[in-house]
Amino acid sequence: MQNPRFYVVIFLICFATLVFELSLVRLFSVIMFYHFAFLAVSLALFGLGAAGLYVFVFRRRFSPASLERTVMSACILFALAVPGGMAIILRIPIALNYSGGNIVRLFVIYFASLIPFLCSGLAISVILFHRANDISRLYFWDLTGAALGAMCTVPLLNAIGPIDAALVTAAVAAVAAVLVSPGARTAGRWLAYAVLAATILLLFGNVSTGFLDLQSHKGLGKENVVFEKWNSFSHVCVREFPDQPRMAAIIIDADARTYILQEPFRTMTRAEIREIVGPQWISSIPNVLLDEGEVLIVGPGGGMDVVFALAWGARRIDAVEINPIIINDIMLKSHRLYSGGLYNRRDVDVHVAEGRAFIRRSEKRYDMIQLALVDTWAASSAGAFSLTENNLYTVEAFRDYLTHLTPDGVCAVTRWLFPKPRQALRVMTTMIAAATELGIASPADHIAVVACNAPGMREEMATVIFKSSPLLPQDMAALKDQLSRGAGRVVYSPFDRTDNAFSDYARAADRERFYADYEFDVRPTVDNRPFFFNTVRFAELGGILRLERDSQKNNLCIFNLGILSALSVVAVVLCFFGPLLSGRERRCLRETPGAVRQMLYFVSIGLGFILLEMALMQSFVLYLEHPVHALAVVLSCLLVSAGIGSYFTKRFDALSGRRYGLILFAGIAAVILVELFVLPPVLAATYGFSFAVRVGVSVLAVFPLGFLLGQPFPLEIMYVERRSRDLVPWAWGLNCAASVLGSVAAVVIAMVWGFTAVIAAGFGAYLLAAATRSWRARESA
């Protein structure tokens, strides 16, 4: 008879593992950079897979009699490793370079982060090893625990931040240790209770005092911080500097920043703002084309661009900010008086929303739509899965912007220029592609590019200005007059014959040839391939380390991705072929005909599941308006439905399950094809519905696929358990190791070919799994 305690224990372990993983994603994005946060996902999967391989190789050490003791010990180690690892992670400063010292520090951080995943992986692997005959129920509790973790991570991060959320997982692991501990008054039971009490005291103590806290942000200290808060997708602090008494900085994830002017309309007149402050900020320049109209500012942050628009006479401003901390906690509370009540003005309407979703739903037309350096270089608890995509800078996004302009309206986008243009040039190519799709003739005649040095920095920022009607000479004269008040310059206009990449592109007869010959990838980005910031081609990874800092920190993720790709392949190869190096393991495999091909099956479904999971997450980010919503709805629904699918397989035995598998894989293929071709038009048709309806549509779209994807693993484990139970932990380890490779492969495929190709790759992985079943069927015959 099965022990129901193990259902609860595996549920708690998987819940704790996923919450800890996503807490690390959020934390790594602050103490390091967002592309390192992506490694946290692979680290978790690798730890789980390595534990499975360990149990397979040393399976004789894990007897059925020691099951409870082993699982209890693993849970206790998890509970202790989490706070121990956090203490190490929070005290090691990491900078953006590949020096020897930095690499050593990274190694220490990742090793400290890996231990909890090894412990949870050990507990799961041992339970599956000795309870494989109940795999349908166990896998159900595994997936539903992970689903609850996905649902709870966002509210946990919003309420207490990633450090305390990680400590919650330690307490949950300690509860699992208590539940599984053998005997009523054994030393193990008392130890489990002691660890539980210690983790609870540690959690409440840290919530109260914050003794486990960030010591540095990306290698920098925390001086002059007057406000600090976490939510599920950012860490926000405010710094007030003694040498800049009239300006405070809002800093997101310790890197991206936006500024608050101190009581701007009390200390300065509108004319002084236009003539003295404005010329120092390139994002202010497009306001000279504004004639007291209505303005939409996406990502207003501390309100600098709101101040400029008001100074130039904007009649009404819609300020759309995605981060509620900046609006609700800073601009409307802690720094309301400091900002002069800027966001309380009657002519300023502040909206906490995702910018593109707001524009799509708006029926208004604006005289100016502005996006000035709208990004955070951050990994949300879900955004890390897709690295650096940004749906604000795609052809489809610019179509949305341009169709919401008045006949003489202006769309202005500010990005870094760099000596060899990349970001600003890509804005121009994407704008022109969008305008061309809208049927605008000669879109280059509608564009001007202006630039000046960022305040206090040597680097130049550029603002790309697109006007609905062709630019006129008097428009350029007004822009040049404002630029002359500072150190600005015209980079491109239809009336100036400048010799640079912008003019070369505008004049190019064959733009495909221009893209191919240009040193960097500046092709227009699209929703299916939204990696705007990644401008370095994979073939030129070595050149990333020579880029400017602000360009390097975006493109360094490609460098890290290349390293991680190689490590992932090595991990899967070791997990697959490592056991073949031992004579004992080779004998086990020889005694099980077709065992290697059977293991290839688990690699295939591990690849396929993670590829489809990541593609689905990305497909719904725009539809649900934020990666966090995609995490809470899509990932949770996928895991819950997969768990239900696993539970459904308990009606089969090993032989009937193999016959049902033929129908199952045909169903998976059919549903994937439906998702590939039917889902996009359905999402487009229902985008205007309420959020609740869109959540319902998302659940209906994801549930059938998840239900089917949850079945191949338990069905095959039944067959493996019947033929050779010793192979079960190896199958689990391979499945997890393949997920490491799949998570990396999904990003690589998306960056090169788009997310539609990721779905196609997932489809191919499941076809390969189906083929391995047919090979084994012939062997059995």
Side-chain angles (χ1 to χ4, degrees), residues 636-669:
S636 301
C637 178
L638 184 68
L639 292 173
V640 166
S641 58
I644 295 172
S646 173
Y647 197 82
F648 173 79
T649 62
K650 71 183 179 63
R651 66 185 60 201
F652 300 105
D653 57 25
L655 295 178
S656 63
R658 288 190 60 72
R659 291 192 295 269
Y660 169 70
L662 298 174
I663 302 172
L664 172 63
F665 278 95
I668 290 174

PDB file of all heavy atoms in Angstrom, residues 636-669:
ATOM      1  N   SER A 636       1.304  28.233 -14.541  1.00  0.00           N
ATOM      2  CA  SER A 636       0.515  27.520 -13.538  1.00  0.00           C
ATOM      3  C   SER A 636      -0.493  26.587 -14.195  1.00  0.00           C
ATOM      4  O   SER A 636      -0.645  25.425 -13.794  1.00  0.00           O
ATOM      5  CB  SER A 636      -0.210  28.512 -12.631  1.00  0.00           C
ATOM      6  OG  SER A 636       0.709  29.359 -11.973  1.00  0.00           O
ATOM      7  N   CYS A 637      -1.198  27.082 -15.208  1.00  0.00           N
ATOM      8  CA  CYS A 637      -2.190  26.254 -15.901  1.00  0.00           C
ATOM      9  C   CYS A 637      -1.524  25.075 -16.591  1.00  0.00           C
ATOM     10  O   CYS A 637      -2.036  23.947 -16.566  1.00  0.00           O
ATOM     11  CB  CYS A 637      -2.961  27.102 -16.904  1.00  0.00           C
ATOM     12  SG  CYS A 637      -4.185  26.173 -17.855  1.00  0.00           S
ATOM     13  N   LEU A 638      -0.375  25.319 -17.213  1.00  0.00           N
ATOM     14  CA  LEU A 638       0.333  24.241 -17.903  1.00  0.00           C
ATOM     15  C   LEU A 638       0.730  23.138 -16.929  1.00  0.00           C
ATOM     16  O   LEU A 638       0.546  21.942 -17.207  1.00  0.00           O
ATOM     17  CB  LEU A 638       1.572  24.804 -18.605  1.00  0.00           C
ATOM     18  CG  LEU A 638       2.376  23.820 -19.455  1.00  0.00           C
ATOM     19  CD1 LEU A 638       1.574  23.386 -20.673  1.00  0.00           C
ATOM     20  CD2 LEU A 638       3.699  24.446 -19.879  1.00  0.00           C
ATOM     21  N   LEU A 639       1.248  23.526 -15.765  1.00  0.00           N
ATOM     22  CA  LEU A 639       1.690  22.537 -14.794  1.00  0.00           C
ATOM     23  C   LEU A 639       0.504  21.803 -14.155  1.00  0.00           C
ATOM     24  O   LEU A 639       0.552  20.582 -13.951  1.00  0.00           O
ATOM     25  CB  LEU A 639       2.541  23.211 -13.718  1.00  0.00           C
ATOM     26  CG  LEU A 639       3.896  23.752 -14.197  1.00  0.00           C
ATOM     27  CD1 LEU A 639       4.586  24.547 -13.098  1.00  0.00           C
ATOM     28  CD2 LEU A 639       4.801  22.622 -14.686  1.00  0.00           C
ATOM     29  N   VAL A 640      -0.553  22.541 -13.829  1.00  0.00           N
ATOM     30  CA  VAL A 640      -1.735  21.896 -13.240  1.00  0.00           C
ATOM     31  C   VAL A 640      -2.349  20.908 -14.234  1.00  0.00           C
ATOM     32  O   VAL A 640      -2.668  19.758 -13.879  1.00  0.00           O
ATOM     33  CB  VAL A 640      -2.777  22.947 -12.814  1.00  0.00           C
ATOM     34  CG1 VAL A 640      -4.117  22.286 -12.520  1.00  0.00           C
ATOM     35  CG2 VAL A 640      -2.302  23.699 -11.582  1.00  0.00           C
ATOM     36  N   SER A 641      -2.515  21.328 -15.469  1.00  0.00           N
ATOM     37  CA  SER A 641      -3.125  20.440 -16.467  1.00  0.00           C
ATOM     38  C   SER A 641      -2.227  19.241 -16.753  1.00  0.00           C
ATOM     39  O   SER A 641      -2.719  18.122 -16.966  1.00  0.00           O
ATOM     40  CB  SER A 641      -3.420  21.211 -17.760  1.00  0.00           C
ATOM     41  OG  SER A 641      -2.246  21.793 -18.294  1.00  0.00           O
ATOM     42  N   ALA A 642      -0.899  19.461 -16.739  1.00  0.00           N
ATOM     43  CA  ALA A 642       0.018  18.328 -16.917  1.00  0.00           C
ATOM     44  C   ALA A 642      -0.099  17.360 -15.745  1.00  0.00           C
ATOM     45  O   ALA A 642      -0.043  16.134 -15.920  1.00  0.00           O
ATOM     46  CB  ALA A 642       1.458  18.828 -17.055  1.00  0.00           C
ATOM     47  N   GLY A 643      -0.267  17.908 -14.531  1.00  0.00           N
ATOM     48  CA  GLY A 643      -0.466  17.045 -13.369  1.00  0.00           C
ATOM     49  C   GLY A 643      -1.735  16.222 -13.483  1.00  0.00           C
ATOM     50  O   GLY A 643      -1.754  15.026 -13.156  1.00  0.00           O
ATOM     51  N   ILE A 644      -2.810  16.850 -13.962  1.00  0.00           N
ATOM     52  CA  ILE A 644      -4.066  16.122 -14.153  1.00  0.00           C
ATOM     53  C   ILE A 644      -3.883  15.038 -15.218  1.00  0.00           C
ATOM     54  O   ILE A 644      -4.393  13.918 -15.091  1.00  0.00           O
ATOM     55  CB  ILE A 644      -5.196  17.090 -14.532  1.00  0.00           C
ATOM     56  CG1 ILE A 644      -5.478  18.046 -13.363  1.00  0.00           C
ATOM     57  CG2 ILE A 644      -6.459  16.344 -14.920  1.00  0.00           C
ATOM     58  CD1 ILE A 644      -6.435  19.167 -13.690  1.00  0.00           C
ATOM     59  N   GLY A 645      -3.115  15.384 -16.262  1.00  0.00           N
ATOM     60  CA  GLY A 645      -2.829  14.385 -17.284  1.00  0.00           C
ATOM     61  C   GLY A 645      -2.056  13.204 -16.716  1.00  0.00           C
ATOM     62  O   GLY A 645      -2.330  12.040 -17.060  1.00  0.00           O
ATOM     63  N   SER A 646      -1.114  13.485 -15.836  1.00  0.00           N
ATOM     64  CA  SER A 646      -0.367  12.398 -15.191  1.00  0.00           C
ATOM     65  C   SER A 646      -1.294  11.518 -14.361  1.00  0.00           C
ATOM     66  O   SER A 646      -1.212  10.281 -14.411  1.00  0.00           O
ATOM     67  CB  SER A 646       0.741  12.991 -14.313  1.00  0.00           C
ATOM     68  OG  SER A 646       1.381  11.990 -13.566  1.00  0.00           O
ATOM     69  N   TYR A 647      -2.176  12.152 -13.604  1.00  0.00           N
ATOM     70  CA  TYR A 647      -3.110  11.381 -12.768  1.00  0.00           C
ATOM     71  C   TYR A 647      -4.019  10.509 -13.637  1.00  0.00           C
ATOM     72  O   TYR A 647      -4.391   9.395 -13.254  1.00  0.00           O
ATOM     73  CB  TYR A 647      -3.938  12.335 -11.921  1.00  0.00           C
ATOM     74  CG  TYR A 647      -4.622  11.676 -10.750  1.00  0.00           C
ATOM     75  CD1 TYR A 647      -3.930  11.443  -9.564  1.00  0.00           C
ATOM     76  CD2 TYR A 647      -5.944  11.272 -10.835  1.00  0.00           C
ATOM     77  CE1 TYR A 647      -4.556  10.833  -8.483  1.00  0.00           C
ATOM     78  CE2 TYR A 647      -6.574  10.653  -9.761  1.00  0.00           C
ATOM     79  CZ  TYR A 647      -5.875  10.441  -8.592  1.00  0.00           C
ATOM     80  OH  TYR A 647      -6.484   9.825  -7.532  1.00  0.00           O
ATOM     81  N   PHE A 648      -4.346  11.010 -14.820  1.00  0.00           N
ATOM     82  CA  PHE A 648      -5.200  10.262 -15.753  1.00  0.00           C
ATOM     83  C   PHE A 648      -4.559   8.935 -16.145  1.00  0.00           C
ATOM     84  O   PHE A 648      -5.256   7.946 -16.391  1.00  0.00           O
ATOM     85  CB  PHE A 648      -5.444  11.128 -16.991  1.00  0.00           C
ATOM     86  CG  PHE A 648      -6.168  10.439 -18.113  1.00  0.00           C
ATOM     87  CD1 PHE A 648      -7.548  10.275 -18.084  1.00  0.00           C
ATOM     88  CD2 PHE A 648      -5.463   9.953 -19.206  1.00  0.00           C
ATOM     89  CE1 PHE A 648      -8.209   9.635 -19.128  1.00  0.00           C
ATOM     90  CE2 PHE A 648      -6.120   9.316 -20.253  1.00  0.00           C
ATOM     91  CZ  PHE A 648      -7.497   9.158 -20.214  1.00  0.00           C
ATOM     92  N   THR A 649      -3.214   8.887 -16.180  1.00  0.00           N
ATOM     93  CA  THR A 649      -2.533   7.677 -16.650  1.00  0.00           C
ATOM     94  C   THR A 649      -2.565   6.536 -15.640  1.00  0.00           C
ATOM     95  O   THR A 649      -2.132   5.424 -15.965  1.00  0.00           O
ATOM     96  CB  THR A 649      -1.058   7.977 -16.993  1.00  0.00           C
ATOM     97  OG1 THR A 649      -0.367   8.421 -15.799  1.00  0.00           O
ATOM     98  CG2 THR A 649      -0.951   9.038 -18.056  1.00  0.00           C
ATOM     99  N   LYS A 650      -3.080   6.765 -14.423  1.00  0.00           N
ATOM    100  CA  LYS A 650      -3.106   5.682 -13.434  1.00  0.00           C
ATOM    101  C   LYS A 650      -4.055   4.567 -13.855  1.00  0.00           C
ATOM    102  O   LYS A 650      -3.972   3.443 -13.330  1.00  0.00           O
ATOM    103  CB  LYS A 650      -3.490   6.221 -12.055  1.00  0.00           C
ATOM    104  CG  LYS A 650      -4.932   6.662 -11.898  1.00  0.00           C
ATOM    105  CD  LYS A 650      -5.190   7.244 -10.515  1.00  0.00           C
ATOM    106  CE  LYS A 650      -6.640   7.712 -10.354  1.00  0.00           C
ATOM    107  NZ  LYS A 650      -7.611   6.623 -10.477  1.00  0.00           N
ATOM    108  N   ARG A 651      -4.925   4.830 -14.819  1.00  0.00           N
ATOM    109  CA  ARG A 651      -5.854   3.794 -15.293  1.00  0.00           C
ATOM    110  C   ARG A 651      -5.153   2.786 -16.203  1.00  0.00           C
ATOM    111  O   ARG A 651      -5.742   1.758 -16.557  1.00  0.00           O
ATOM    112  CB  ARG A 651      -7.009   4.437 -16.032  1.00  0.00           C
ATOM    113  CG  ARG A 651      -6.626   5.130 -17.347  1.00  0.00           C
ATOM    114  CD  ARG A 651      -7.811   5.850 -17.954  1.00  0.00           C
ATOM    115  NE  ARG A 651      -8.309   6.875 -17.032  1.00  0.00           N
ATOM    116  CZ  ARG A 651      -9.536   7.382 -17.087  1.00  0.00           C
ATOM    117  NH1 ARG A 651     -10.378   6.959 -18.009  1.00  0.00           N
ATOM    118  NH2 ARG A 651      -9.910   8.306 -16.241  1.00  0.00           N
ATOM    119  N   PHE A 652      -3.907   3.080 -16.596  1.00  0.00           N
ATOM    120  CA  PHE A 652      -3.191   2.173 -17.497  1.00  0.00           C
ATOM    121  C   PHE A 652      -2.154   1.370 -16.725  1.00  0.00           C
ATOM    122  O   PHE A 652      -1.623   1.826 -15.708  1.00  0.00           O
ATOM    123  CB  PHE A 652      -2.481   2.964 -18.602  1.00  0.00           C
ATOM    124  CG  PHE A 652      -3.405   3.771 -19.460  1.00  0.00           C
ATOM    125  CD1 PHE A 652      -3.486   5.163 -19.304  1.00  0.00           C
ATOM    126  CD2 PHE A 652      -4.200   3.175 -20.412  1.00  0.00           C
ATOM    127  CE1 PHE A 652      -4.326   5.924 -20.086  1.00  0.00           C
ATOM    128  CE2 PHE A 652      -5.066   3.921 -21.202  1.00  0.00           C
ATOM    129  CZ  PHE A 652      -5.125   5.303 -21.035  1.00  0.00           C
ATOM    130  N   ASP A 653      -1.836   0.196 -17.244  1.00  0.00           N
ATOM    131  CA  ASP A 653      -0.662  -0.522 -16.765  1.00  0.00           C
ATOM    132  C   ASP A 653       0.422  -0.383 -17.825  1.00  0.00           C
ATOM    133  O   ASP A 653       0.258   0.324 -18.822  1.00  0.00           O
ATOM    134  CB  ASP A 653      -0.982  -1.988 -16.475  1.00  0.00           C
ATOM    135  CG  ASP A 653      -1.543  -2.728 -17.693  1.00  0.00           C
ATOM    136  OD1 ASP A 653      -1.260  -2.304 -18.842  1.00  0.00           O
ATOM    137  OD2 ASP A 653      -2.278  -3.722 -17.501  1.00  0.00           O
ATOM    138  N   ALA A 654       1.566  -1.055 -17.616  1.00  0.00           N
ATOM    139  CA  ALA A 654       2.703  -0.869 -18.519  1.00  0.00           C
ATOM    140  C   ALA A 654       2.364  -1.227 -19.960  1.00  0.00           C
ATOM    141  O   ALA A 654       2.747  -0.524 -20.900  1.00  0.00           O
ATOM    142  CB  ALA A 654       3.891  -1.697 -18.028  1.00  0.00           C
ATOM    143  N   LEU A 655       1.599  -2.315 -20.171  1.00  0.00           N
ATOM    144  CA  LEU A 655       1.314  -2.755 -21.533  1.00  0.00           C
ATOM    145  C   LEU A 655       0.214  -1.926 -22.192  1.00  0.00           C
ATOM    146  O   LEU A 655       0.339  -1.497 -23.335  1.00  0.00           O
ATOM    147  CB  LEU A 655       0.934  -4.244 -21.514  1.00  0.00           C
ATOM    148  CG  LEU A 655       2.061  -5.193 -21.073  1.00  0.00           C
ATOM    149  CD1 LEU A 655       1.558  -6.634 -21.042  1.00  0.00           C
ATOM    150  CD2 LEU A 655       3.262  -5.065 -22.013  1.00  0.00           C
ATOM    151  N   SER A 656      -0.877  -1.700 -21.473  1.00  0.00           N
ATOM    152  CA  SER A 656      -1.954  -0.898 -22.065  1.00  0.00           C
ATOM    153  C   SER A 656      -1.498   0.543 -22.284  1.00  0.00           C
ATOM    154  O   SER A 656      -1.936   1.212 -23.220  1.00  0.00           O
ATOM    155  CB  SER A 656      -3.199  -0.939 -21.182  1.00  0.00           C
ATOM    156  OG  SER A 656      -2.933  -0.363 -19.909  1.00  0.00           O
ATOM    157  N   GLY A 657      -0.602   1.024 -21.422  1.00  0.00           N
ATOM    158  CA  GLY A 657      -0.067   2.371 -21.588  1.00  0.00           C
ATOM    159  C   GLY A 657       0.739   2.519 -22.865  1.00  0.00           C
ATOM    160  O   GLY A 657       0.705   3.554 -23.521  1.00  0.00           O
ATOM    161  N   ARG A 658       1.455   1.451 -23.244  1.00  0.00           N
ATOM    162  CA  ARG A 658       2.232   1.519 -24.493  1.00  0.00           C
ATOM    163  C   ARG A 658       1.297   1.579 -25.693  1.00  0.00           C
ATOM    164  O   ARG A 658       1.572   2.275 -26.666  1.00  0.00           O
ATOM    165  CB  ARG A 658       3.158   0.320 -24.593  1.00  0.00           C
ATOM    166  CG  ARG A 658       4.320   0.406 -23.620  1.00  0.00           C
ATOM    167  CD  ARG A 658       5.358  -0.659 -23.898  1.00  0.00           C
ATOM    168  NE  ARG A 658       5.926  -0.549 -25.237  1.00  0.00           N
ATOM    169  CZ  ARG A 658       6.764   0.407 -25.624  1.00  0.00           C
ATOM    170  NH1 ARG A 658       7.109   1.342 -24.777  1.00  0.00           N
ATOM    171  NH2 ARG A 658       7.235   0.430 -26.846  1.00  0.00           N
ATOM    172  N   ARG A 659       0.186   0.842 -25.650  1.00  0.00           N
ATOM    173  CA  ARG A 659      -0.762   0.900 -26.767  1.00  0.00           C
ATOM    174  C   ARG A 659      -1.433   2.272 -26.832  1.00  0.00           C
ATOM    175  O   ARG A 659      -1.606   2.846 -27.902  1.00  0.00           O
ATOM    176  CB  ARG A 659      -1.822  -0.209 -26.610  1.00  0.00           C
ATOM    177  CG  ARG A 659      -1.263  -1.606 -26.795  1.00  0.00           C
ATOM    178  CD  ARG A 659      -2.387  -2.625 -26.921  1.00  0.00           C
ATOM    179  NE  ARG A 659      -3.155  -2.725 -25.685  1.00  0.00           N
ATOM    180  CZ  ARG A 659      -2.873  -3.575 -24.708  1.00  0.00           C
ATOM    181  NH1 ARG A 659      -1.837  -4.396 -24.802  1.00  0.00           N
ATOM    182  NH2 ARG A 659      -3.634  -3.614 -23.618  1.00  0.00           N
ATOM    183  N   TYR A 660      -1.777   2.820 -25.662  1.00  0.00           N
ATOM    184  CA  TYR A 660      -2.395   4.147 -25.613  1.00  0.00           C
ATOM    185  C   TYR A 660      -1.420   5.227 -26.091  1.00  0.00           C
ATOM    186  O   TYR A 660      -1.837   6.261 -26.639  1.00  0.00           O
ATOM    187  CB  TYR A 660      -2.843   4.441 -24.184  1.00  0.00           C
ATOM    188  CG  TYR A 660      -3.246   5.875 -23.938  1.00  0.00           C
ATOM    189  CD1 TYR A 660      -4.407   6.416 -24.487  1.00  0.00           C
ATOM    190  CD2 TYR A 660      -2.452   6.710 -23.145  1.00  0.00           C
ATOM    191  CE1 TYR A 660      -4.765   7.731 -24.265  1.00  0.00           C
ATOM    192  CE2 TYR A 660      -2.798   8.029 -22.913  1.00  0.00           C
ATOM    193  CZ  TYR A 660      -3.951   8.535 -23.470  1.00  0.00           C
ATOM    194  OH  TYR A 660      -4.310   9.843 -23.234  1.00  0.00           O
ATOM    195  N   GLY A 661      -0.125   4.985 -25.917  1.00  0.00           N
ATOM    196  CA  GLY A 661       0.873   5.976 -26.311  1.00  0.00           C
ATOM    197  C   GLY A 661       0.796   6.379 -27.769  1.00  0.00           C
ATOM    198  O   GLY A 661       1.092   7.526 -28.136  1.00  0.00           O
ATOM    199  N   LEU A 662       0.396   5.454 -28.644  1.00  0.00           N
ATOM    200  CA  LEU A 662       0.265   5.792 -30.060  1.00  0.00           C
ATOM    201  C   LEU A 662      -0.796   6.869 -30.265  1.00  0.00           C
ATOM    202  O   LEU A 662      -0.614   7.815 -31.026  1.00  0.00           O
ATOM    203  CB  LEU A 662      -0.082   4.533 -30.853  1.00  0.00           C
ATOM    204  CG  LEU A 662       0.956   3.401 -30.820  1.00  0.00           C
ATOM    205  CD1 LEU A 662       0.407   2.166 -31.530  1.00  0.00           C
ATOM    206  CD2 LEU A 662       2.261   3.876 -31.462  1.00  0.00           C
ATOM    207  N   ILE A 663      -1.926   6.714 -29.573  1.00  0.00           N
ATOM    208  CA  ILE A 663      -2.992   7.718 -29.659  1.00  0.00           C
ATOM    209  C   ILE A 663      -2.535   9.030 -29.023  1.00  0.00           C
ATOM    210  O   ILE A 663      -2.795  10.128 -29.531  1.00  0.00           O
ATOM    211  CB  ILE A 663      -4.262   7.194 -28.954  1.00  0.00           C
ATOM    212  CG1 ILE A 663      -4.720   5.882 -29.595  1.00  0.00           C
ATOM    213  CG2 ILE A 663      -5.369   8.238 -28.979  1.00  0.00           C
ATOM    214  CD1 ILE A 663      -5.834   5.195 -28.841  1.00  0.00           C
ATOM    215  N   LEU A 664      -1.826   8.904 -27.891  1.00  0.00           N
ATOM    216  CA  LEU A 664      -1.376  10.085 -27.161  1.00  0.00           C
ATOM    217  C   LEU A 664      -0.487  10.968 -28.021  1.00  0.00           C
ATOM    218  O   LEU A 664      -0.704  12.194 -28.101  1.00  0.00           O
ATOM    219  CB  LEU A 664      -0.629   9.653 -25.891  1.00  0.00           C
ATOM    220  CG  LEU A 664       0.079  10.772 -25.116  1.00  0.00           C
ATOM    221  CD1 LEU A 664      -0.931  11.788 -24.586  1.00  0.00           C
ATOM    222  CD2 LEU A 664       0.904  10.188 -23.968  1.00  0.00           C
ATOM    223  N   PHE A 665       0.517  10.401 -28.660  1.00  0.00           N
ATOM    224  CA  PHE A 665       1.442  11.223 -29.441  1.00  0.00           C
ATOM    225  C   PHE A 665       0.770  11.812 -30.671  1.00  0.00           C
ATOM    226  O   PHE A 665       1.119  12.920 -31.101  1.00  0.00           O
ATOM    227  CB  PHE A 665       2.684  10.412 -29.823  1.00  0.00           C
ATOM    228  CG  PHE A 665       3.693  10.356 -28.712  1.00  0.00           C
ATOM    229  CD1 PHE A 665       3.712   9.296 -27.832  1.00  0.00           C
ATOM    230  CD2 PHE A 665       4.600  11.387 -28.528  1.00  0.00           C
ATOM    231  CE1 PHE A 665       4.623   9.243 -26.792  1.00  0.00           C
ATOM    232  CE2 PHE A 665       5.515  11.354 -27.497  1.00  0.00           C
ATOM    233  CZ  PHE A 665       5.544  10.285 -26.617  1.00  0.00           C
ATOM    234  N   ALA A 666      -0.191  11.102 -31.230  1.00  0.00           N
ATOM    235  CA  ALA A 666      -0.961  11.693 -32.329  1.00  0.00           C
ATOM    236  C   ALA A 666      -1.751  12.900 -31.827  1.00  0.00           C
ATOM    237  O   ALA A 666      -1.833  13.939 -32.492  1.00  0.00           O
ATOM    238  CB  ALA A 666      -1.907  10.643 -32.924  1.00  0.00           C
ATOM    239  N   GLY A 667      -2.322  12.779 -30.612  1.00  0.00           N
ATOM    240  CA  GLY A 667      -3.049  13.906 -30.025  1.00  0.00           C
ATOM    241  C   GLY A 667      -2.137  15.086 -29.732  1.00  0.00           C
ATOM    242  O   GLY A 667      -2.506  16.249 -29.962  1.00  0.00           O
ATOM    243  N   ILE A 668      -0.932  14.818 -29.186  1.00  0.00           N
ATOM    244  CA  ILE A 668       0.025  15.898 -28.912  1.00  0.00           C
ATOM    245  C   ILE A 668       0.377  16.631 -30.200  1.00  0.00           C
ATOM    246  O   ILE A 668       0.394  17.864 -30.253  1.00  0.00           O
ATOM    247  CB  ILE A 668       1.297  15.327 -28.237  1.00  0.00           C
ATOM    248  CG1 ILE A 668       0.974  14.883 -26.813  1.00  0.00           C
ATOM    249  CG2 ILE A 668       2.412  16.363 -28.228  1.00  0.00           C
ATOM    250  CD1 ILE A 668       2.122  14.169 -26.112  1.00  0.00           C
ATOM    251  N   ALA A 669       0.662  15.875 -31.263  1.00  0.00           N
ATOM    252  CA  ALA A 669       1.011  16.500 -32.542  1.00  0.00           C
ATOM    253  C   ALA A 669      -0.130  17.367 -33.055  1.00  0.00           C
ATOM    254  O   ALA A 669       0.093  18.498 -33.518  1.00  0.00           O
ATOM    255  CB  ALA A 669       1.364  15.419 -33.566  1.00  0.00           C
TER     256      ALA A 669
END
